[in-house]
Amino acid sequence: MMEIRTTGLHWGVLLIFLVSSFFVGPVFGPSLSVQVISLTLFDVAIVGAAIAAFKDPRARAVGIVIAIVWLIASLVALNVGAFQTLALVLTGVMLLAALWITFQVLLNQTTGNLEALLGAIFGYLLLAMAWAMLYLHILRLDNDAIQMALDSDIWSSVVYYSIVTITSLGYGDILPISPLARMVAGFEAIVGVLYIAIMIGSIVGKFQTPDNDD
């Protein structure tokens, strides 16, 4: 059983990498170089959580190798359509692994602090990314499953849709059409509410406060 640390993880840094990967494309446009930068930032954020969490140097080395393989597969998929499915599957697996590690670390926190809170926010955004990957798979099976603008960038659109769904905001500019897409969106909204109430609420509740003198 690999030992996972509960302290010393720089969640704020990982959060910056993850959020930056969201904004690079929309700000600078969908050019190949921008996609490479976005993928690299996303890769560092996801694998960085695992590498920082494991105490065993061998586990960290394995994480670095996996990160390199995943990044190469993702970059190849940008130009070779045959690799897109493989890249999507690898990304989904990496996201699930990062979520599991993040939740393990956060649930084992004995005290609340700013880094733990940033970790909870990081996990919240990872959930949104995991659902975005699920929406992408749904669209690959059925192009009409989710209604969105025809000229929109698919990845940016599903990430945006996932974020407004998990926060229960729901502007209505992107709509789930198929029964599967509707059910998946509904469950994402439920999970988003529960995560805020349970995970973030638990960490905030563990913040140490000074004892009040009677």
Side-chain angles (χ1 to χ4, degrees):
M1 189 76 177
M2 293 183 181
E3 210 174 349
I4 296 178
R5 67 175 75 236
T6 58
T7 58
L9 275 76
H10 300 291
W11 291 115
V13 176
L14 296 175
L15 185 60
I16 290 172
F17 277 110
L18 184 60
V19 173
S20 297
S21 72
F22 293 169
F23 282 95
V24 169
V27 171
F28 296 102
S31 66
L32 180 60
S33 59
V34 169
Q35 291 181 53
V36 171
I37 294 172
S38 179
L39 280 172
T40 304
L41 290 170
F42 183 56
D43 188 308
V44 170
I46 300 303
V47 183
I51 294 175
F54 288 130
K55 294 182 178 180
D56 189 350
R58 291 172 298 180
R60 293 186 180 186
V62 171
I64 293 173
V65 172
I66 293 174
I68 294 172
V69 172
W70 175 32
L71 180 59
I72 292 173
S74 299
L75 293 177
V76 172
L78 292 176
N79 296 310
V80 183
F83 280 84
Q84 288 183 357
T85 300
L86 174 62
L88 283 174
V89 171
L90 284 175
T91 303
V93 171
M94 294 301 296
L95 267 172
L96 291 176
L99 278 170
W100 180 81
I101 292 169
T102 300
F103 293 165
Q104 284 285 316
V105 172
L106 294 176
L107 290 173
N108 287 327
Q109 287 279 150
T110 56
T111 59
N113 52 49
L114 179 58
E115 277 297 321
L117 184 58
L118 291 174
I121 297 171
F122 179 80
Y124 189 62
L125 292 179
L126 280 188
L127 276 176
M129 291 297 292
W131 249 274
M133 291 298 304
L134 187 53
Y135 293 133
L136 206 57
H137 282 292
I138 291 174
L139 284 169
R140 287 176 65 84
L141 295 174
D142 180 5
N143 290 331
D144 299 321
I146 300 174
Q147 179 183 316
M148 61 180 68
L150 295 177
D151 59 345
S152 62
D153 176 65
I154 298 298
W155 176 242
S156 296
S157 295
V158 293
V159 170
Y160 158 76
Y161 175 62
S162 182
I163 291 174
V164 298
T165 301
I166 200 171
T167 55
S168 300
L169 187 60
Y171 282 120
D173 51 343
I174 299 179
L175 297 173
I177 302 300
S178 72
L180 177 60
R182 289 178 177 178
M183 189 62 66
V184 170
F187 270 99
E188 182 180 13
I190 292 172
V191 170
V193 172
L194 291 176
Y195 186 93
I196 294 291
I198 297 173
M199 183 67 78
I200 294 184
S202 173
I203 289 174
V204 171
K206 291 177 182 177
F207 269 79
Q208 293 182 341
T209 55
D211 295 331
N212 294 324
D213 295 331
D214 293 334

